[in-house]
Amino acid sequence: QVQLVESGGGLVQPGGSLRLSCAASGTVFSLVTMGWYRQSPGNRRELVATIGDGGSTNYGDSVRGRFTISRDNAKSTAYLQMNSLKPEDTAVYYCNTYWGMEYWGKGTLVTVSS
């Protein structure tokens, strides 16, 4: 059974930074693509970033240049470094992977507010 556990969310001021972590278990982590998605009230879940097993990355238009996705295969953990945060980045951030089927974490709340 694949489990994804996000951490690192919280309250941050506009212009600040946060780093989210996603610890994975139950899969061969080095072989899977990991993704971060987010959802704010009244909006659909949207892609933030993905990182492939070979390290290739893809970003949503709204975060490109400000967020960086990375992975540590030895720790079975994916990260999302978020810089220059804006109030519109406020959302629940979810970790995602596919291992025979799609899996989601429970999410971590990021609030960007002064």
Side-chain angles (χ1 to χ4, degrees):
Q1 181 74 9
V2 175
Q3 289 191 319
L4 303 173
V5 180
E6 303 97 336
S7 61
L11 174 64
V12 62
Q13 292 187 341
S17 298
L18 278 178
R19 189 176 82 153
L20 305 183
S21 299
C22 172
S25 61
T27 181
V28 182
F29 184 81
S30 62
L31 298 181
V32 298
T33 291
M34 298 297 298
W36 285 98
Y37 291 75
R38 68 185 184 186
Q39 187 169 20
S40 55
N43 293 315
R44 291 187 290 183
R45 194 169 293 189
E46 65 171 348
L47 168 72
V48 176
T50 62
I51 184 166
D53 58 344
S56 61
T57 57
N58 181 47
Y59 294 92
D61 290 341
S62 61
V63 308
R64 190 174 292 112
R66 299 187 297 123
F67 291 10
T68 302
I69 189 171
S70 62
R71 64 191 297 157
D72 185 337
N73 290 339
K75 296 182 178 180
S76 297
T77 300
Y79 303 96
L80 184 70
Q81 178 66 42
M82 305 186 294
N83 298 329
S84 302
L85 282 160
K86 305 174 182 180
E88 51 264 42
D89 294 318
T90 296
V92 178
Y93 284 71
Y94 297 93
C95 185
N96 164 276
T97 194
Y98 184 90
W99 185 251
M101 59 177 284
E102 197 164 33
Y103 291 91
W104 295 91
K106 293 183 178 180
T108 186
L109 176 63
V110 173
T111 302
V112 185
S113 175
S114 55

